[in-house]
PDB file of all heavy atoms in Angstrom:
ATOM      1  N   VAL A   1     -20.548 -12.398 -20.597  1.00 89.00           N
ATOM      2  CA  VAL A   1     -19.347 -13.139 -20.310  1.00 89.00           C
ATOM      3  C   VAL A   1     -18.145 -12.229 -20.268  1.00 89.00           C
ATOM      4  O   VAL A   1     -17.310 -12.284 -19.371  1.00 89.00           O
ATOM      5  CB  VAL A   1     -19.129 -14.277 -21.326  1.00 89.00           C
ATOM      6  CG1 VAL A   1     -17.779 -14.948 -21.133  1.00 89.00           C
ATOM      7  CG2 VAL A   1     -20.258 -15.281 -21.270  1.00 89.00           C
ATOM      8  N   TRP A   2     -18.072 -11.333 -21.229  1.00 93.00           N
ATOM      9  CA  TRP A   2     -16.907 -10.446 -21.305  1.00 93.00           C
ATOM     10  C   TRP A   2     -16.882  -9.450 -20.175  1.00 93.00           C
ATOM     11  O   TRP A   2     -15.795  -9.033 -19.715  1.00 93.00           O
ATOM     12  CB  TRP A   2     -16.853  -9.747 -22.665  1.00 93.00           C
ATOM     13  CG  TRP A   2     -15.560  -9.139 -22.983  1.00 93.00           C
ATOM     14  CD1 TRP A   2     -15.335  -7.849 -23.324  1.00 93.00           C
ATOM     15  CD2 TRP A   2     -14.279  -9.783 -23.089  1.00 93.00           C
ATOM     16  NE1 TRP A   2     -13.989  -7.638 -23.544  1.00 93.00           N
ATOM     17  CE2 TRP A   2     -13.364  -8.820 -23.448  1.00 93.00           C
ATOM     18  CE3 TRP A   2     -13.845 -11.091 -22.866  1.00 93.00           C
ATOM     19  CZ2 TRP A   2     -11.958  -9.123 -23.578  1.00 93.00           C
ATOM     20  CZ3 TRP A   2     -12.528 -11.414 -23.015  1.00 93.00           C
ATOM     21  CH2 TRP A   2     -11.581 -10.436 -23.391  1.00 93.00           C
ATOM     22  N   ARG A   3     -18.056  -9.043 -19.718  1.00 91.00           N
ATOM     23  CA  ARG A   3     -18.116  -8.124 -18.582  1.00 91.00           C
ATOM     24  C   ARG A   3     -17.453  -8.705 -17.351  1.00 91.00           C
ATOM     25  O   ARG A   3     -16.767  -8.020 -16.621  1.00 91.00           O
ATOM     26  CB  ARG A   3     -19.613  -7.793 -18.365  1.00 91.00           C
ATOM     27  CG  ARG A   3     -19.846  -7.081 -17.039  1.00 91.00           C
ATOM     28  CD  ARG A   3     -20.303  -8.061 -15.982  1.00 91.00           C
ATOM     29  NE  ARG A   3     -21.506  -7.569 -15.354  1.00 91.00           N
ATOM     30  CZ  ARG A   3     -22.220  -8.337 -14.530  1.00 91.00           C
ATOM     31  NH1 ARG A   3     -21.909  -9.596 -14.270  1.00 91.00           N
ATOM     32  NH2 ARG A   3     -23.286  -7.830 -13.973  1.00 91.00           N
ATOM     33  N   ASP A   4     -17.664  -9.998 -17.121  1.00 91.00           N
ATOM     34  CA  ASP A   4     -17.020 -10.638 -15.989  1.00 91.00           C
ATOM     35  C   ASP A   4     -15.509 -10.631 -16.106  1.00 91.00           C
ATOM     36  O   ASP A   4     -14.788 -10.455 -15.118  1.00 91.00           O
ATOM     37  CB  ASP A   4     -17.507 -12.085 -15.822  1.00 91.00           C
ATOM     38  CG  ASP A   4     -19.042 -12.154 -15.502  1.00 91.00           C
ATOM     39  OD1 ASP A   4     -19.552 -11.133 -14.972  1.00 91.00           O
ATOM     40  OD2 ASP A   4     -19.616 -13.206 -15.709  1.00 91.00           O
ATOM     41  N   GLN A   5     -15.001 -10.792 -17.329  1.00 92.00           N
ATOM     42  CA  GLN A   5     -13.598 -10.723 -17.570  1.00 92.00           C
ATOM     43  C   GLN A   5     -13.045  -9.330 -17.267  1.00 92.00           C
ATOM     44  O   GLN A   5     -11.944  -9.186 -16.693  1.00 92.00           O
ATOM     45  CB  GLN A   5     -13.251 -11.121 -19.009  1.00 92.00           C
ATOM     46  CG  GLN A   5     -13.629 -12.543 -19.377  1.00 92.00           C
ATOM     47  CD  GLN A   5     -12.786 -13.553 -18.667  1.00 92.00           C
ATOM     48  OE1 GLN A   5     -11.614 -13.367 -18.394  1.00 92.00           O
ATOM     49  NE2 GLN A   5     -13.406 -14.647 -18.306  1.00 92.00           N
ATOM     50  N   ILE A   6     -13.790  -8.322 -17.654  1.00 93.00           N
ATOM     51  CA  ILE A   6     -13.345  -6.943 -17.418  1.00 93.00           C
ATOM     52  C   ILE A   6     -13.315  -6.616 -15.919  1.00 93.00           C
ATOM     53  O   ILE A   6     -12.372  -6.040 -15.418  1.00 93.00           O
ATOM     54  CB  ILE A   6     -14.287  -5.960 -18.133  1.00 93.00           C
ATOM     55  CG1 ILE A   6     -14.213  -6.176 -19.672  1.00 93.00           C
ATOM     56  CG2 ILE A   6     -13.923  -4.514 -17.794  1.00 93.00           C
ATOM     57  CD1 ILE A   6     -15.257  -5.403 -20.459  1.00 93.00           C
ATOM     58  N   LEU A   7     -14.351  -7.053 -15.212  1.00 91.00           N
ATOM     59  CA  LEU A   7     -14.387  -6.759 -13.778  1.00 91.00           C
ATOM     60  C   LEU A   7     -13.254  -7.501 -13.016  1.00 91.00           C
ATOM     61  O   LEU A   7     -12.683  -6.960 -12.075  1.00 91.00           O
ATOM     62  CB  LEU A   7     -15.728  -7.235 -13.177  1.00 91.00           C
ATOM     63  CG  LEU A   7     -16.964  -6.457 -13.684  1.00 91.00           C
ATOM     64  CD1 LEU A   7     -18.211  -6.998 -13.049  1.00 91.00           C
ATOM     65  CD2 LEU A   7     -16.820  -4.972 -13.418  1.00 91.00           C
ATOM     66  N   ALA A   8     -12.908  -8.690 -13.478  1.00 91.00           N
ATOM     67  CA  ALA A   8     -11.785  -9.388 -12.891  1.00 91.00           C
ATOM     68  C   ALA A   8     -10.487  -8.674 -13.209  1.00 91.00           C
ATOM     69  O   ALA A   8      -9.562  -8.609 -12.384  1.00 91.00           O
ATOM     70  CB  ALA A   8     -11.705 -10.822 -13.425  1.00 91.00           C
ATOM     71  N   ALA A   9     -10.388  -8.081 -14.398  1.00 91.00           N
ATOM     72  CA  ALA A   9      -9.142  -7.378 -14.786  1.00 91.00           C
ATOM     73  C   ALA A   9      -8.911  -6.092 -13.987  1.00 91.00           C
ATOM     74  O   ALA A   9      -7.788  -5.779 -13.593  1.00 91.00           O
ATOM     75  CB  ALA A   9      -9.141  -7.065 -16.278  1.00 91.00           C
ATOM     76  N   VAL A  10      -9.987  -5.346 -13.745  1.00 87.00           N
ATOM     77  CA  VAL A  10      -9.815  -4.108 -13.006  1.00 87.00           C
ATOM     78  C   VAL A  10      -9.630  -4.347 -11.504  1.00 87.00           C
ATOM     79  O   VAL A  10      -9.132  -3.450 -10.822  1.00 87.00           O
ATOM     80  CB  VAL A  10     -10.977  -3.114 -13.271  1.00 87.00           C
ATOM     81  CG1 VAL A  10     -11.073  -2.731 -14.729  1.00 87.00           C
ATOM     82  CG2 VAL A  10     -12.301  -3.702 -12.842  1.00 87.00           C
ATOM     83  N   GLN A  11     -10.051  -5.501 -11.037  1.00 75.00           N
ATOM     84  CA  GLN A  11      -9.829  -5.901  -9.656  1.00 75.00           C
ATOM     85  C   GLN A  11     -10.341  -4.832  -8.633  1.00 75.00           C
ATOM     86  O   GLN A  11      -9.671  -4.538  -7.670  1.00 75.00           O
ATOM     87  CB  GLN A  11      -8.357  -6.126  -9.396  1.00 75.00           C
ATOM     88  CG  GLN A  11      -7.810  -7.301 -10.186  1.00 75.00           C
ATOM     89  CD  GLN A  11      -6.340  -7.569  -9.930  1.00 75.00           C
ATOM     90  OE1 GLN A  11      -5.645  -6.678  -9.375  1.00 75.00           O
ATOM     91  NE2 GLN A  11      -5.850  -8.699 -10.309  1.00 75.00           N
ATOM     92  N   VAL A  12     -11.542  -4.311  -8.909  1.00 56.00           N
ATOM     93  CA  VAL A  12     -12.082  -3.384  -7.956  1.00 56.00           C
ATOM     94  C   VAL A  12     -12.803  -4.076  -6.789  1.00 56.00           C
ATOM     95  O   VAL A  12     -12.788  -3.614  -5.677  1.00 56.00           O
ATOM     96  CB  VAL A  12     -13.079  -2.422  -8.674  1.00 56.00           C
ATOM     97  CG1 VAL A  12     -13.820  -1.527  -7.682  1.00 56.00           C
ATOM     98  CG2 VAL A  12     -12.307  -1.581  -9.690  1.00 56.00           C
ATOM     99  N   VAL A  13     -13.412  -5.246  -7.133  1.00 46.00           N
ATOM    100  CA  VAL A  13     -14.173  -5.966  -6.091  1.00 46.00           C
ATOM    101  C   VAL A  13     -13.212  -6.472  -5.002  1.00 46.00           C
ATOM    102  O   VAL A  13     -13.433  -6.264  -3.828  1.00 46.00           O
ATOM    103  CB  VAL A  13     -14.921  -7.130  -6.695  1.00 46.00           C
ATOM    104  CG1 VAL A  13     -15.680  -7.890  -5.644  1.00 46.00           C
ATOM    105  CG2 VAL A  13     -15.876  -6.576  -7.774  1.00 46.00           C
ATOM    106  N   ALA A  14     -12.155  -7.164  -5.395  1.00 44.00           N
ATOM    107  CA  ALA A  14     -11.217  -7.672  -4.459  1.00 44.00           C
ATOM    108  C   ALA A  14      -9.806  -7.532  -5.015  1.00 44.00           C
ATOM    109  O   ALA A  14      -9.337  -8.419  -5.703  1.00 44.00           O
ATOM    110  CB  ALA A  14     -11.498  -9.163  -4.132  1.00 44.00           C
ATOM    111  N   PRO A  15      -9.179  -6.413  -4.802  1.00 42.00           N
ATOM    112  CA  PRO A  15      -7.861  -6.205  -5.370  1.00 42.00           C
ATOM    113  C   PRO A  15      -6.859  -7.256  -4.906  1.00 42.00           C
ATOM    114  O   PRO A  15      -6.892  -7.636  -3.722  1.00 42.00           O
ATOM    115  CB  PRO A  15      -7.452  -4.801  -4.951  1.00 42.00           C
ATOM    116  CG  PRO A  15      -8.511  -4.334  -4.036  1.00 42.00           C
ATOM    117  CD  PRO A  15      -9.616  -5.289  -3.999  1.00 42.00           C
ATOM    118  N   ALA A  16      -6.029  -7.682  -5.791  1.00 42.00           N
ATOM    119  CA  ALA A  16      -5.033  -8.700  -5.436  1.00 42.00           C
ATOM    120  C   ALA A  16      -4.044  -8.053  -4.471  1.00 42.00           C
ATOM    121  O   ALA A  16      -3.621  -6.909  -4.592  1.00 42.00           O
ATOM    122  CB  ALA A  16      -4.292  -9.162  -6.686  1.00 42.00           C
ATOM    123  N   PRO A  17      -3.606  -8.807  -3.399  1.00 45.00           N
ATOM    124  CA  PRO A  17      -2.669  -8.262  -2.435  1.00 45.00           C
ATOM    125  C   PRO A  17      -1.315  -7.999  -3.116  1.00 45.00           C
ATOM    126  O   PRO A  17      -0.865  -8.714  -3.971  1.00 45.00           O
ATOM    127  CB  PRO A  17      -2.568  -9.345  -1.397  1.00 45.00           C
ATOM    128  CG  PRO A  17      -2.959 -10.615  -2.101  1.00 45.00           C
ATOM    129  CD  PRO A  17      -3.955 -10.170  -3.111  1.00 45.00           C
ATOM    130  N   MET A  18      -0.690  -6.926  -2.662  1.00 42.00           N
ATOM    131  CA  MET A  18       0.612  -6.574  -3.188  1.00 42.00           C
ATOM    132  C   MET A  18       1.662  -7.502  -2.564  1.00 42.00           C
ATOM    133  O   MET A  18       1.759  -7.660  -1.375  1.00 42.00           O
ATOM    134  CB  MET A  18       0.989  -5.121  -2.882  1.00 42.00           C
ATOM    135  CG  MET A  18       0.043  -4.130  -3.540  1.00 42.00           C
ATOM    136  SD  MET A  18       0.202  -4.134  -5.343  1.00 42.00           S
ATOM    137  CE  MET A  18       1.844  -3.463  -5.488  1.00 42.00           C
ATOM    138  N   THR A  19       2.418  -8.162  -3.382  1.00 47.00           N
ATOM    139  CA  THR A  19       3.499  -9.080  -2.899  1.00 47.00           C
ATOM    140  C   THR A  19       4.807  -8.376  -3.075  1.00 47.00           C
ATOM    141  O   THR A  19       5.079  -7.737  -4.094  1.00 47.00           O
ATOM    142  CB  THR A  19       3.512 -10.383  -3.663  1.00 47.00           C
ATOM    143  OG1 THR A  19       3.607 -10.095  -5.056  1.00 47.00           O
ATOM    144  CG2 THR A  19       2.217 -11.164  -3.425  1.00 47.00           C
ATOM    145  N   PRO A  20       5.683  -8.435  -2.090  1.00 47.00           N
ATOM    146  CA  PRO A  20       6.993  -7.782  -2.249  1.00 47.00           C
ATOM    147  C   PRO A  20       7.820  -8.351  -3.371  1.00 47.00           C
ATOM    148  O   PRO A  20       7.855  -9.547  -3.561  1.00 47.00           O
ATOM    149  CB  PRO A  20       7.683  -8.005  -0.888  1.00 47.00           C
ATOM    150  CG  PRO A  20       7.013  -9.234  -0.313  1.00 47.00           C
ATOM    151  CD  PRO A  20       5.564  -9.156  -0.829  1.00 47.00           C
ATOM    152  N   ARG A  21       8.389  -7.472  -4.148  1.00 45.00           N
ATOM    153  CA  ARG A  21       9.216  -7.935  -5.243  1.00 45.00           C
ATOM    154  C   ARG A  21      10.560  -8.431  -4.727  1.00 45.00           C
ATOM    155  O   ARG A  21      11.086  -7.896  -3.758  1.00 45.00           O
ATOM    156  CB  ARG A  21       9.431  -6.794  -6.238  1.00 45.00           C
ATOM    157  CG  ARG A  21       8.148  -6.309  -6.888  1.00 45.00           C
ATOM    158  CD  ARG A  21       8.465  -5.263  -7.892  1.00 45.00           C
ATOM    159  NE  ARG A  21       7.269  -4.803  -8.607  1.00 45.00           N
ATOM    160  CZ  ARG A  21       7.274  -3.844  -9.529  1.00 45.00           C
ATOM    161  NH1 ARG A  21       8.368  -3.243  -9.869  1.00 45.00           N
ATOM    162  NH2 ARG A  21       6.135  -3.529 -10.118  1.00 45.00           N
ATOM    163  N   PRO A  22      11.150  -9.420  -5.405  1.00 48.00           N
ATOM    164  CA  PRO A  22      12.478  -9.882  -4.978  1.00 48.00           C
ATOM    165  C   PRO A  22      13.485  -8.777  -5.214  1.00 48.00           C
ATOM    166  O   PRO A  22      13.354  -7.967  -6.111  1.00 48.00           O
ATOM    167  CB  PRO A  22      12.751 -11.092  -5.896  1.00 48.00           C
ATOM    168  CG  PRO A  22      11.824 -10.891  -7.024  1.00 48.00           C
ATOM    169  CD  PRO A  22      10.625 -10.188  -6.520  1.00 48.00           C
ATOM    170  N   ASP A  23      14.518  -8.783  -4.357  1.00 49.00           N
ATOM    171  CA  ASP A  23      15.549  -7.779  -4.488  1.00 49.00           C
ATOM    172  C   ASP A  23      16.202  -7.895  -5.833  1.00 49.00           C
ATOM    173  O   ASP A  23      16.782  -8.935  -6.176  1.00 49.00           O
ATOM    174  CB  ASP A  23      16.624  -7.992  -3.390  1.00 49.00           C
ATOM    175  CG  ASP A  23      17.548  -6.777  -3.280  1.00 49.00           C
ATOM    176  OD1 ASP A  23      17.560  -5.984  -4.213  1.00 49.00           O
ATOM    177  OD2 ASP A  23      18.262  -6.697  -2.288  1.00 49.00           O
ATOM    178  N   PRO A  24      16.131  -6.882  -6.704  1.00 47.00           N
ATOM    179  CA  PRO A  24      16.720  -6.967  -8.026  1.00 47.00           C
ATOM    180  C   PRO A  24      18.259  -7.018  -8.023  1.00 47.00           C
ATOM    181  O   PRO A  24      18.872  -7.345  -9.000  1.00 47.00           O
ATOM    182  CB  PRO A  24      16.214  -5.719  -8.752  1.00 47.00           C
ATOM    183  CG  PRO A  24      15.969  -4.737  -7.656  1.00 47.00           C
ATOM    184  CD  PRO A  24      15.529  -5.540  -6.478  1.00 47.00           C
ATOM    185  N   ILE A  25      18.848  -6.589  -6.909  1.00 44.00           N
ATOM    186  CA  ILE A  25      20.304  -6.539  -6.828  1.00 44.00           C
ATOM    187  C   ILE A  25      20.778  -7.813  -6.145  1.00 44.00           C
ATOM    188  O   ILE A  25      20.443  -8.099  -4.979  1.00 44.00           O
ATOM    189  CB  ILE A  25      20.805  -5.352  -6.058  1.00 44.00           C
ATOM    190  CG1 ILE A  25      20.264  -4.038  -6.721  1.00 44.00           C
ATOM    191  CG2 ILE A  25      22.329  -5.292  -5.971  1.00 44.00           C
ATOM    192  CD1 ILE A  25      20.593  -2.799  -5.967  1.00 44.00           C
ATOM    193  N   PRO A  26      21.551  -8.700  -6.809  1.00 45.00           N
ATOM    194  CA  PRO A  26      21.969  -9.938  -6.171  1.00 45.00           C
ATOM    195  C   PRO A  26      22.911  -9.628  -4.996  1.00 45.00           C
ATOM    196  O   PRO A  26      23.781  -8.735  -5.073  1.00 45.00           O
ATOM    197  CB  PRO A  26      22.720 -10.669  -7.310  1.00 45.00           C
ATOM    198  CG  PRO A  26      23.094  -9.595  -8.273  1.00 45.00           C
ATOM    199  CD  PRO A  26      22.041  -8.563  -8.185  1.00 45.00           C
ATOM    200  N   ARG A  27      22.756 -10.351  -3.948  1.00 46.00           N
ATOM    201  CA  ARG A  27      23.577 -10.153  -2.745  1.00 46.00           C
ATOM    202  C   ARG A  27      24.843 -11.014  -2.888  1.00 46.00           C
ATOM    203  O   ARG A  27      24.753 -12.221  -3.050  1.00 46.00           O
ATOM    204  CB  ARG A  27      22.819 -10.509  -1.494  1.00 46.00           C
ATOM    205  CG  ARG A  27      21.538  -9.668  -1.295  1.00 46.00           C
ATOM    206  CD  ARG A  27      20.923  -9.982   0.029  1.00 46.00           C
ATOM    207  NE  ARG A  27      19.739  -9.178   0.231  1.00 46.00           N
ATOM    208  CZ  ARG A  27      19.743  -7.919   0.690  1.00 46.00           C
ATOM    209  NH1 ARG A  27      20.908  -7.360   1.009  1.00 46.00           N
ATOM    210  NH2 ARG A  27      18.609  -7.237   0.863  1.00 46.00           N
ATOM    211  N   LEU A  28      26.002 -10.398  -2.789  1.00 44.00           N
ATOM    212  CA  LEU A  28      27.263 -11.100  -2.896  1.00 44.00           C
ATOM    213  C   LEU A  28      27.667 -11.705  -1.559  1.00 44.00           C
ATOM    214  O   LEU A  28      27.509 -11.079  -0.528  1.00 44.00           O
ATOM    215  CB  LEU A  28      28.391 -10.149  -3.407  1.00 44.00           C
ATOM    216  CG  LEU A  28      28.131  -9.537  -4.794  1.00 44.00           C
ATOM    217  CD1 LEU A  28      29.287  -8.558  -5.064  1.00 44.00           C
ATOM    218  CD2 LEU A  28      28.040 -10.592  -5.840  1.00 44.00           C
ATOM    219  N   GLN A  29      28.224 -12.895  -1.605  1.00 50.00           N
ATOM    220  CA  GLN A  29      28.696 -13.542  -0.402  1.00 50.00           C
ATOM    221  C   GLN A  29      30.013 -12.929   0.033  1.00 50.00           C
ATOM    222  O   GLN A  29      30.860 -12.592  -0.771  1.00 50.00           O
ATOM    223  CB  GLN A  29      28.911 -15.031  -0.674  1.00 50.00           C
ATOM    224  CG  GLN A  29      29.247 -15.813   0.626  1.00 50.00           C
ATOM    225  CD  GLN A  29      29.379 -17.276   0.332  1.00 50.00           C
ATOM    226  OE1 GLN A  29      29.197 -17.677  -0.819  1.00 50.00           O
ATOM    227  NE2 GLN A  29      29.635 -18.066   1.340  1.00 50.00           N
ATOM    228  N   ALA A  30      30.087 -12.652   1.309  1.00 47.00           N
ATOM    229  CA  ALA A  30      31.301 -11.984   1.840  1.00 47.00           C
ATOM    230  C   ALA A  30      32.512 -12.847   1.590  1.00 47.00           C
ATOM    231  O   ALA A  30      32.465 -14.081   1.780  1.00 47.00           O
ATOM    232  CB  ALA A  30      31.158 -11.707   3.323  1.00 47.00           C
ATOM    233  N   PRO A  31      33.614 -12.259   1.140  1.00 47.00           N
ATOM    234  CA  PRO A  31      34.832 -13.085   0.905  1.00 47.00           C
ATOM    235  C   PRO A  31      35.464 -13.541   2.220  1.00 47.00           C
ATOM    236  O   PRO A  31      35.128 -13.094   3.279  1.00 47.00           O
ATOM    237  CB  PRO A  31      35.752 -12.087   0.186  1.00 47.00           C
ATOM    238  CG  PRO A  31      35.288 -10.752   0.615  1.00 47.00           C
ATOM    239  CD  PRO A  31      33.821 -10.892   0.810  1.00 47.00           C
ATOM    240  N   ALA A  32      36.343 -14.526   2.097  1.00 51.00           N
ATOM    241  CA  ALA A  32      37.026 -15.048   3.267  1.00 51.00           C
ATOM    242  C   ALA A  32      37.854 -13.983   3.928  1.00 51.00           C
ATOM    243  O   ALA A  32      38.269 -12.996   3.278  1.00 51.00           O
ATOM    244  CB  ALA A  32      37.911 -16.236   2.856  1.00 51.00           C
ATOM    245  N   PRO A  33      38.114 -14.106   5.221  1.00 50.00           N
ATOM    246  CA  PRO A  33      38.931 -13.075   5.938  1.00 50.00           C
ATOM    247  C   PRO A  33      40.277 -12.913   5.253  1.00 50.00           C
ATOM    248  O   PRO A  33      40.932 -13.832   4.830  1.00 50.00           O
ATOM    249  CB  PRO A  33      39.078 -13.647   7.343  1.00 50.00           C
ATOM    250  CG  PRO A  33      37.954 -14.579   7.491  1.00 50.00           C
ATOM    251  CD  PRO A  33      37.660 -15.136   6.144  1.00 50.00           C
ATOM    252  N   VAL A  34      40.700 -11.643   5.228  1.00 45.00           N
ATOM    253  CA  VAL A  34      41.983 -11.314   4.573  1.00 45.00           C
ATOM    254  C   VAL A  34      43.114 -11.556   5.553  1.00 45.00           C
ATOM    255  O   VAL A  34      43.075 -11.032   6.660  1.00 45.00           O
ATOM    256  CB  VAL A  34      41.995  -9.868   4.080  1.00 45.00           C
ATOM    257  CG1 VAL A  34      43.314  -9.495   3.505  1.00 45.00           C
ATOM    258  CG2 VAL A  34      40.871  -9.631   3.086  1.00 45.00           C
ATOM    259  N   VAL A  35      44.109 -12.302   5.142  1.00 46.00           N
ATOM    260  CA  VAL A  35      45.255 -12.592   5.980  1.00 46.00           C
ATOM    261  C   VAL A  35      46.354 -11.583   5.726  1.00 46.00           C
ATOM    262  O   VAL A  35      46.888 -10.961   6.589  1.00 46.00           O
ATOM    263  CB  VAL A  35      45.755 -14.016   5.798  1.00 46.00           C
ATOM    264  CG1 VAL A  35      46.985 -14.263   6.648  1.00 46.00           C
ATOM    265  CG2 VAL A  35      44.661 -14.985   6.150  1.00 46.00           C
ATOM    266  N   ASP A  36      46.736 -11.454   4.474  1.00 49.00           N
ATOM    267  CA  ASP A  36      47.715 -10.464   4.089  1.00 49.00           C
ATOM    268  C   ASP A  36      47.424  -9.962   2.707  1.00 49.00           C
ATOM    269  O   ASP A  36      46.491 -10.415   2.055  1.00 49.00           O
ATOM    270  CB  ASP A  36      49.162 -11.036   4.155  1.00 49.00           C
ATOM    271  CG  ASP A  36      49.307 -12.276   3.323  1.00 49.00           C
ATOM    272  OD1 ASP A  36      48.561 -12.422   2.268  1.00 49.00           O
ATOM    273  OD2 ASP A  36      50.116 -13.155   3.672  1.00 49.00           O
ATOM    274  N   ARG A  37      48.177  -8.999   2.241  1.00 46.00           N
ATOM    275  CA  ARG A  37      47.908  -8.367   0.959  1.00 46.00           C
ATOM    276  C   ARG A  37      47.965  -9.353  -0.211  1.00 46.00           C
ATOM    277  O   ARG A  37      47.199  -9.285  -1.155  1.00 46.00           O
ATOM    278  CB  ARG A  37      48.891  -7.230   0.737  1.00 46.00           C
ATOM    279  CG  ARG A  37      48.663  -6.490  -0.552  1.00 46.00           C
ATOM    280  CD  ARG A  37      49.494  -5.218  -0.532  1.00 46.00           C
ATOM    281  NE  ARG A  37      49.331  -4.521  -1.808  1.00 46.00           N
ATOM    282  CZ  ARG A  37      49.857  -3.344  -2.105  1.00 46.00           C
ATOM    283  NH1 ARG A  37      50.623  -2.748  -1.167  1.00 46.00           N
ATOM    284  NH2 ARG A  37      49.660  -2.755  -3.246  1.00 46.00           N
ATOM    285  N   GLU A  38      48.840 -10.299  -0.100  1.00 47.00           N
ATOM    286  CA  GLU A  38      48.936 -11.255  -1.198  1.00 47.00           C
ATOM    287  C   GLU A  38      47.695 -12.061  -1.369  1.00 47.00           C
ATOM    288  O   GLU A  38      47.271 -12.409  -2.478  1.00 47.00           O
ATOM    289  CB  GLU A  38      50.148 -12.172  -0.962  1.00 47.00           C
ATOM    290  CG  GLU A  38      50.401 -13.138  -2.118  1.00 47.00           C
ATOM    291  CD  GLU A  38      51.620 -14.006  -1.863  1.00 47.00           C
ATOM    292  OE1 GLU A  38      52.278 -13.809  -0.813  1.00 47.00           O
ATOM    293  OE2 GLU A  38      51.916 -14.868  -2.711  1.00 47.00           O
ATOM    294  N   ASP A  39      47.038 -12.399  -0.218  1.00 46.00           N
ATOM    295  CA  ASP A  39      45.779 -13.177  -0.286  1.00 46.00           C
ATOM    296  C   ASP A  39      44.667 -12.386  -0.944  1.00 46.00           C
ATOM    297  O   ASP A  39      43.796 -12.929  -1.609  1.00 46.00           O
ATOM    298  CB  ASP A  39      45.331 -13.582   1.124  1.00 46.00           C
ATOM    299  CG  ASP A  39      46.234 -14.631   1.699  1.00 46.00           C
ATOM    300  OD1 ASP A  39      46.890 -15.359   0.905  1.00 46.00           O
ATOM    301  OD2 ASP A  39      46.298 -14.754   2.926  1.00 46.00           O
ATOM    302  N   VAL A  40      44.672 -11.070  -0.776  1.00 43.00           N
ATOM    303  CA  VAL A  40      43.652 -10.230  -1.414  1.00 43.00           C
ATOM    304  C   VAL A  40      43.792 -10.189  -2.865  1.00 43.00           C
ATOM    305  O   VAL A  40      42.855 -10.261  -3.644  1.00 43.00           O
ATOM    306  CB  VAL A  40      43.715  -8.800  -0.811  1.00 43.00           C
ATOM    307  CG1 VAL A  40      42.746  -7.892  -1.557  1.00 43.00           C
ATOM    308  CG2 VAL A  40      43.401  -8.819   0.659  1.00 43.00           C
ATOM    309  N   LEU A  41      44.995 -10.077  -3.357  1.00 44.00           N
ATOM    310  CA  LEU A  41      45.216  -9.950  -4.802  1.00 44.00           C
ATOM    311  C   LEU A  41      45.093 -11.271  -5.516  1.00 44.00           C
ATOM    312  O   LEU A  41      44.657 -11.355  -6.670  1.00 44.00           O
ATOM    313  CB  LEU A  41      46.616  -9.376  -5.094  1.00 44.00           C
ATOM    314  CG  LEU A  41      46.799  -7.953  -4.514  1.00 44.00           C
ATOM    315  CD1 LEU A  41      48.194  -7.496  -4.804  1.00 44.00           C
ATOM    316  CD2 LEU A  41      45.828  -6.975  -5.140  1.00 44.00           C
ATOM    317  N   THR A  42      45.451 -12.385  -4.846  1.00 44.00           N
ATOM    318  CA  THR A  42      45.379 -13.727  -5.480  1.00 44.00           C
ATOM    319  C   THR A  42      44.712 -14.676  -4.506  1.00 44.00           C
ATOM    320  O   THR A  42      45.420 -15.495  -3.904  1.00 44.00           O
ATOM    321  CB  THR A  42      46.739 -14.204  -5.920  1.00 44.00           C
ATOM    322  OG1 THR A  42      47.568 -14.237  -4.754  1.00 44.00           O
ATOM    323  CG2 THR A  42      47.347 -13.324  -6.947  1.00 44.00           C
ATOM    324  N   PRO A  43      43.401 -14.606  -4.252  1.00 44.00           N
ATOM    325  CA  PRO A  43      42.786 -15.488  -3.253  1.00 44.00           C
ATOM    326  C   PRO A  43      42.695 -16.900  -3.786  1.00 44.00           C
ATOM    327  O   PRO A  43      42.708 -17.163  -4.976  1.00 44.00           O
ATOM    328  CB  PRO A  43      41.390 -14.863  -3.117  1.00 44.00           C
ATOM    329  CG  PRO A  43      41.150 -14.184  -4.417  1.00 44.00           C
ATOM    330  CD  PRO A  43      42.464 -13.686  -4.892  1.00 44.00           C
TER     331      PRO A  43
END
């Protein structure tokens, strides 16, 4: 029984497909268009 568990763990028979990892860096939403300097400092 334990041998089957070991073979499943090493995944030599059918290795699990590699799935892309989520981007660890959160993507920020672009700010609204800047009208003038005052809008940038106090949006």
